[in-house]
Amino acid sequence: MKHKVVLYDTTYGTNRYRLQLGLVTSIAPSGHTAIIAISLVADQTAETFQWVFRQFAEMIGSEPDVLITDGDRAMAAAAEEEWVRTKHLLCCWHVAKNV
C-alpha cells in the first residue's frame, strides 16, 4: 500500500535503555491516525535516520510523496538523501511550539 503522506517523530530516551521510539504514522482510509511502522534507535544521527527511511521504503515498496517531521536537522538531511522525490514539511504543532 502506498502511503502518500507520512509523519515521522521520535521520543527522547524515555526508557531504561535510552532508545528513542520512532513512529511512522499516516491517515487510514477511515480518517483515523494509523501507525504504519515503528523504530527503536540508539541515536538521532542522519545515518540512523537514513537507515530508518531506507527500511521503511523497502517495507512499503516506495518512498512517500510527503514527509512531515519536527524539524530535526539530522532527520531532514536523511530524508533529503534517501527520499529525493519526497517533499519534506514541518509539523505545524512543532513550529507553533517553537515560536
Side-chain angles (χ1 to χ4, degrees):
M1 175 179 197
K2 168 107 168 130
H3 295 279
K4 293 181 180 270
V5 178
V6 299
L7 182 138
Y8 182 66
D9 193 22
T10 56
T11 61
Y12 177 77
T14 57
N15 58 54
R16 68 181 177 185
Y17 303 108
R18 302 219 184 272
L19 297 174
Q20 289 90 37
L21 173 67
L23 298 175
V24 180
T25 59
S26 191
I27 303 298
S30 65
H32 294 95
T33 301
I35 297 171
I36 52 179
I38 63 170
S39 64
L40 281 173
V41 296
D43 59 54
Q44 294 187 334
T45 63
E47 293 79 19
T48 296
F49 290 134
Q50 282 180 277
W51 178 85
V52 170
F53 295 157
R54 199 168 29 253
Q55 299 308 307
F56 176 73
E58 186 177 314
M59 180 188 79
I60 67 167
S62 66
E63 60 188 61
D65 293 337
V66 177
L67 170 66
I68 302 170
T69 70
D70 63 3
D72 180 275
R73 289 185 178 155
M75 204 179 291
E80 186 176 312
E81 182 72 26
E82 285 298 316
W83 292 345
V84 295
R85 294 180 300 279
T86 298
K87 183 173 181 91
H88 180 218
L89 301 175
L90 299 179
C91 171
C92 59
W93 184 85
H94 286 96
V95 171
K97 183 179 166 190
N98 292 323
V99 172

